[in-house]
Amino acid sequence: MLIPRALREVGMSAIHFESYTEARAHLKELLDAADEGRVATVRRASGCAAVVDVERLRRYLSSVCASRTEVVAEADGWSIFIPGLPLAADGPTFDDAVNEMVCVLREYADDWQQRLRLAPNHQDNWGLVQLIALSDDRQLVDWLVGVRQ
């Protein structure tokens, strides 16, 4: 088997391809490196991109994007909000409010992808948006209520 130049130069601990054409020709090696948690990058004219295992990235983001969720019991139910973000939800029960907040998070992530990523007061929420996009509803609920993932 011909060993890609990237593997010869960097060694077996990391993998780097100088072009997406080279990466495409060695896609299996690139994805295997990501699955194993090794550094895996591809250079393009506009910069360099990392290929990362989704679950590893999601777990990492859930640990560094601490949920700052605040919950308030009210006479007619529960309210949930995240200070510093325009995100709030309510419901007649705690579970309903949490589930509604999952929907609010998904809407925010969609809005961020479409337009908010360019707004100065939202640009730094990249990690949160990635966490939302990479998580299923149960994982988001666990993150909101502080269950260690």
Side-chain angles (χ1 to χ4, degrees):
M1 174 178 130
L2 180 63
I3 298 175
R5 186 180 81 232
L7 288 176
R8 288 194 312 267
E9 291 175 0
V10 178
M12 294 304 284
S13 62
I15 188 168
H16 175 74
F17 294 103
E18 287 300 320
S19 69
Y20 66 88
T21 303
E22 186 181 4
R24 186 175 53 230
H26 299 284
L27 186 59
K28 182 183 181 326
E29 293 95 327
L30 183 65
L31 296 177
D32 285 348
D35 283 345
E36 294 166 5
R38 294 187 287 137
V39 175
T41 62
V42 178
R43 179 157 307 285
R44 296 183 69 184
S46 62
C48 189
V51 179
V52 182
D53 174 69
V54 168
E55 188 53 29
R56 284 178 196 263
L57 179 58
R58 194 199 65 72
R59 278 196 320 266
Y60 177 75
L61 289 171
S62 72
S63 71
V64 297
C65 294
S67 172
R68 300 180 324 264
T69 306
E70 294 191 20
V71 179
V72 177
E74 298 177 336
D76 57 345
W78 294 82
S79 291
I80 297 177
F81 63 97
I82 299 177
L85 292 173
L87 306 176
D90 12 64
T93 68
F94 176 78
D95 289 341
D96 289 339
V98 169
N99 290 329
E100 180 61 27
M101 183 57 114
V102 168
C103 293
V104 167
L105 287 168
R106 296 232 182 264
E107 289 172 9
Y108 177 76
D110 287 342
D111 288 345
W112 191 92
Q113 296 279 4
Q114 292 176 21
R115 59 185 173 77
L116 292 176
R117 72 182 188 284
L118 304 173
N121 59 331
H122 290 274
Q123 288 175 340
D124 291 339
N125 294 334
W126 174 89
L128 173 62
V129 170
Q130 297 297 311
L131 175 63
I132 294 165
L134 298 174
S135 299
D136 63 27
D137 287 357
R138 180 78 247 154
Q139 291 165 329
L140 283 177
V141 167
D142 289 348
W143 177 77
L144 283 167
V145 300
V147 172
R148 192 157 167 85
Q149 299 182 27

mmCIF file of all heavy atoms in Angstrom, residues 105-124:
data_model
loop_
_atom_site.group_PDB
_atom_site.id
_atom_site.type_symbol
_atom_site.label_atom_id
_atom_site.label_comp_id
_atom_site.label_asym_id
_atom_site.label_seq_id
_atom_site.Cartn_x
_atom_site.Cartn_y
_atom_site.Cartn_z
ATOM 1 N N LEU A 105 -33.613 26.382 21.658
ATOM 2 C CA LEU A 105 -32.197 26.223 21.312
ATOM 3 C C LEU A 105 -32.021 25.857 19.838
ATOM 4 O O LEU A 105 -31.157 26.401 19.146
ATOM 5 C CB LEU A 105 -31.546 25.145 22.190
ATOM 6 C CG LEU A 105 -31.288 25.533 23.638
ATOM 7 C CD1 LEU A 105 -30.912 24.294 24.453
ATOM 8 C CD2 LEU A 105 -30.211 26.593 23.740
ATOM 9 N N ARG A 106 -32.857 24.946 19.357
ATOM 10 C CA ARG A 106 -32.770 24.529 17.949
ATOM 11 C C ARG A 106 -33.082 25.712 17.012
ATOM 12 O O ARG A 106 -32.417 25.897 15.997
ATOM 13 C CB ARG A 106 -33.700 23.368 17.684
ATOM 14 C CG ARG A 106 -33.319 22.116 18.468
ATOM 15 C CD ARG A 106 -33.185 20.911 17.583
ATOM 16 N NE ARG A 106 -32.878 19.743 18.377
ATOM 17 C CZ ARG A 106 -31.632 19.282 18.566
ATOM 18 N NH1 ARG A 106 -30.617 19.898 18.013
ATOM 19 N NH2 ARG A 106 -31.426 18.202 19.290
ATOM 20 N N GLU A 107 -34.083 26.506 17.371
ATOM 21 C CA GLU A 107 -34.416 27.678 16.558
ATOM 22 C C GLU A 107 -33.260 28.677 16.555
ATOM 23 O O GLU A 107 -32.933 29.260 15.525
ATOM 24 C CB GLU A 107 -35.692 28.343 17.075
ATOM 25 C CG GLU A 107 -36.941 27.536 16.800
ATOM 26 C CD GLU A 107 -38.180 28.102 17.494
ATOM 27 O OE1 GLU A 107 -38.120 29.223 18.052
ATOM 28 O OE2 GLU A 107 -39.208 27.409 17.477
ATOM 29 N N TYR A 108 -32.652 28.872 17.730
ATOM 30 C CA TYR A 108 -31.519 29.789 17.814
ATOM 31 C C TYR A 108 -30.369 29.292 16.935
ATOM 32 O O TYR A 108 -29.759 30.080 16.191
ATOM 33 C CB TYR A 108 -31.044 29.938 19.262
ATOM 34 C CG TYR A 108 -29.824 30.826 19.366
ATOM 35 C CD1 TYR A 108 -29.941 32.209 19.252
ATOM 36 C CD2 TYR A 108 -28.553 30.281 19.536
ATOM 37 C CE1 TYR A 108 -28.825 33.027 19.317
ATOM 38 C CE2 TYR A 108 -27.431 31.093 19.596
ATOM 39 C CZ TYR A 108 -27.569 32.463 19.489
ATOM 40 O OH TYR A 108 -26.466 33.265 19.534
ATOM 41 N N ALA A 109 -30.068 27.997 16.998
ATOM 42 C CA ALA A 109 -28.977 27.442 16.185
ATOM 43 C C ALA A 109 -29.252 27.650 14.697
ATOM 44 O O ALA A 109 -28.346 27.995 13.934
ATOM 45 C CB ALA A 109 -28.773 25.963 16.507
ATOM 46 N N ASP A 110 -30.492 27.446 14.278
ATOM 47 C CA ASP A 110 -30.853 27.682 12.874
ATOM 48 C C ASP A 110 -30.669 29.160 12.502
ATOM 49 O O ASP A 110 -30.093 29.476 11.464
ATOM 50 C CB ASP A 110 -32.297 27.255 12.598
ATOM 51 C CG ASP A 110 -32.487 25.760 12.569
ATOM 52 O OD1 ASP A 110 -31.484 25.022 12.427
ATOM 53 O OD2 ASP A 110 -33.645 25.315 12.701
ATOM 54 N N ASP A 111 -31.155 30.050 13.361
ATOM 55 C CA ASP A 111 -31.009 31.487 13.105
ATOM 56 C C ASP A 111 -29.533 31.884 13.077
ATOM 57 O O ASP A 111 -29.114 32.710 12.263
ATOM 58 C CB ASP A 111 -31.735 32.321 14.172
ATOM 59 C CG ASP A 111 -33.245 32.267 14.040
ATOM 60 O OD1 ASP A 111 -33.744 31.829 12.983
ATOM 61 O OD2 ASP A 111 -33.923 32.662 15.012
ATOM 62 N N TRP A 112 -28.752 31.303 13.971
ATOM 63 C CA TRP A 112 -27.325 31.609 14.023
ATOM 64 C C TRP A 112 -26.652 31.193 12.721
ATOM 65 O O TRP A 112 -25.862 31.947 12.158
ATOM 66 C CB TRP A 112 -26.680 30.904 15.220
ATOM 67 C CG TRP A 112 -25.282 31.367 15.497
ATOM 68 C CD1 TRP A 112 -24.906 32.366 16.347
ATOM 69 C CD2 TRP A 112 -24.075 30.852 14.920
ATOM 70 N NE1 TRP A 112 -23.535 32.498 16.334
ATOM 71 C CE2 TRP A 112 -23.004 31.580 15.472
ATOM 72 C CE3 TRP A 112 -23.792 29.853 14.009
ATOM 73 C CZ2 TRP A 112 -21.673 31.337 15.134
ATOM 74 C CZ3 TRP A 112 -22.469 29.606 13.661
ATOM 75 C CH2 TRP A 112 -21.426 30.349 14.223
ATOM 76 N N GLN A 113 -26.977 29.988 12.254
ATOM 77 C CA GLN A 113 -26.369 29.495 11.008
ATOM 78 C C GLN A 113 -26.725 30.401 9.833
ATOM 79 O O GLN A 113 -25.897 30.650 8.960
ATOM 80 C CB GLN A 113 -26.841 28.068 10.691
ATOM 81 C CG GLN A 113 -26.423 27.039 11.697
ATOM 82 C CD GLN A 113 -24.993 26.549 11.519
ATOM 83 O OE1 GLN A 113 -24.240 27.008 10.686
ATOM 84 N NE2 GLN A 113 -24.622 25.590 12.333
ATOM 85 N N GLN A 114 -27.961 30.896 9.809
ATOM 86 C CA GLN A 114 -28.431 31.692 8.681
ATOM 87 C C GLN A 114 -27.935 33.133 8.724
ATOM 88 O O GLN A 114 -27.588 33.692 7.685
ATOM 89 C CB GLN A 114 -29.958 31.663 8.611
ATOM 90 C CG GLN A 114 -30.494 30.296 8.236
ATOM 91 C CD GLN A 114 -32.014 30.259 8.272
ATOM 92 O OE1 GLN A 114 -32.678 31.278 8.197
ATOM 93 N NE2 GLN A 114 -32.550 29.058 8.386
ATOM 94 N N ARG A 115 -27.938 33.756 9.916
ATOM 95 C CA ARG A 115 -27.619 35.182 9.936
ATOM 96 C C ARG A 115 -26.922 35.676 11.197
ATOM 97 O O ARG A 115 -26.100 36.575 11.132
ATOM 98 C CB ARG A 115 -28.876 36.015 9.703
ATOM 99 C CG ARG A 115 -29.956 35.792 10.718
ATOM 100 C CD ARG A 115 -31.251 36.547 10.384
ATOM 101 N NE ARG A 115 -32.294 36.168 11.291
ATOM 102 C CZ ARG A 115 -32.415 36.592 12.547
ATOM 103 N NH1 ARG A 115 -31.560 37.424 13.029
ATOM 104 N NH2 ARG A 115 -33.405 36.182 13.304
ATOM 105 N N LEU A 116 -27.233 35.103 12.350
ATOM 106 C CA LEU A 116 -26.697 35.642 13.599
ATOM 107 C C LEU A 116 -25.189 35.452 13.741
ATOM 108 O O LEU A 116 -24.535 36.190 14.478
ATOM 109 C CB LEU A 116 -27.407 35.024 14.806
ATOM 110 C CG LEU A 116 -28.865 35.412 14.987
ATOM 111 C CD1 LEU A 116 -29.470 34.652 16.151
ATOM 112 C CD2 LEU A 116 -29.008 36.913 15.178
ATOM 113 N N ARG A 117 -24.606 34.489 13.029
ATOM 114 C CA ARG A 117 -23.162 34.250 13.128
ATOM 115 C C ARG A 117 -22.357 35.484 12.706
ATOM 116 O O ARG A 117 -21.202 35.634 13.076
ATOM 117 C CB ARG A 117 -22.754 33.035 12.317
ATOM 118 C CG ARG A 117 -22.783 33.225 10.833
ATOM 119 C CD ARG A 117 -22.417 31.952 10.052
ATOM 120 N NE ARG A 117 -22.279 32.230 8.651
ATOM 121 C CZ ARG A 117 -23.284 32.426 7.808
ATOM 122 N NH1 ARG A 117 -24.533 32.359 8.250
ATOM 123 N NH2 ARG A 117 -23.071 32.686 6.539
ATOM 124 N N LEU A 118 -22.993 36.361 11.938
ATOM 125 C CA LEU A 118 -22.330 37.574 11.471
ATOM 126 C C LEU A 118 -22.524 38.750 12.426
ATOM 127 O O LEU A 118 -21.858 39.786 12.276
ATOM 128 C CB LEU A 118 -22.854 37.947 10.081
ATOM 129 C CG LEU A 118 -22.711 36.844 9.018
ATOM 130 C CD1 LEU A 118 -23.401 37.253 7.735
ATOM 131 C CD2 LEU A 118 -21.253 36.492 8.789
ATOM 132 N N ALA A 119 -23.436 38.610 13.380
ATOM 133 C CA ALA A 119 -23.720 39.691 14.330
ATOM 134 C C ALA A 119 -22.662 39.687 15.437
ATOM 135 O O ALA A 119 -22.404 38.642 16.042
ATOM 136 C CB ALA A 119 -25.109 39.519 14.926
ATOM 137 N N PRO A 120 -22.049 40.834 15.714
ATOM 138 C CA PRO A 120 -20.974 40.882 16.720
ATOM 139 C C PRO A 120 -21.369 40.309 18.085
ATOM 140 O O PRO A 120 -20.554 39.679 18.743
ATOM 141 C CB PRO A 120 -20.657 42.377 16.827
ATOM 142 C CG PRO A 120 -21.100 42.954 15.526
ATOM 143 C CD PRO A 120 -22.287 42.132 15.100
ATOM 144 N N ASN A 121 -22.619 40.498 18.484
ATOM 145 C CA ASN A 121 -23.030 40.014 19.805
ATOM 146 C C ASN A 121 -23.419 38.530 19.800
ATOM 147 O O ASN A 121 -23.784 37.991 20.847
ATOM 148 C CB ASN A 121 -24.161 40.867 20.374
ATOM 149 C CG ASN A 121 -25.383 40.886 19.476
ATOM 150 O OD1 ASN A 121 -25.278 40.750 18.259
ATOM 151 N ND2 ASN A 121 -26.545 41.068 20.068
ATOM 152 N N HIS A 122 -23.331 37.866 18.663
ATOM 153 C CA HIS A 122 -23.650 36.436 18.590
ATOM 154 C C HIS A 122 -22.492 35.595 18.054
ATOM 155 O O HIS A 122 -22.520 34.367 18.170
ATOM 156 C CB HIS A 122 -24.880 36.206 17.705
ATOM 157 C CG HIS A 122 -26.146 36.694 18.313
ATOM 158 N ND1 HIS A 122 -26.900 35.941 19.176
ATOM 159 C CD2 HIS A 122 -26.781 37.888 18.191
ATOM 160 C CE1 HIS A 122 -27.960 36.639 19.557
ATOM 161 N NE2 HIS A 122 -27.908 37.824 18.977
ATOM 162 N N GLN A 123 -21.491 36.221 17.462
ATOM 163 C CA GLN A 123 -20.390 35.486 16.831
ATOM 164 C C GLN A 123 -19.716 34.498 17.779
ATOM 165 O O GLN A 123 -19.328 33.408 17.369
ATOM 166 C CB GLN A 123 -19.334 36.445 16.281
ATOM 167 C CG GLN A 123 -19.794 37.194 15.063
ATOM 168 C CD GLN A 123 -18.774 38.217 14.612
ATOM 169 O OE1 GLN A 123 -17.902 38.649 15.369
ATOM 170 N NE2 GLN A 123 -18.898 38.639 13.357
ATOM 171 N N ASP A 124 -19.557 34.864 19.026
ATOM 172 C CA ASP A 124 -18.846 34.012 19.976
ATOM 173 C C ASP A 124 -19.664 32.810 20.453
ATOM 174 O O ASP A 124 -19.171 32.009 21.253
ATOM 175 C CB ASP A 124 -18.385 34.826 21.184
ATOM 176 C CG ASP A 124 -17.283 35.807 20.820
ATOM 177 O OD1 ASP A 124 -16.616 35.593 19.783
ATOM 178 O OD2 ASP A 124 -17.088 36.779 21.565
#
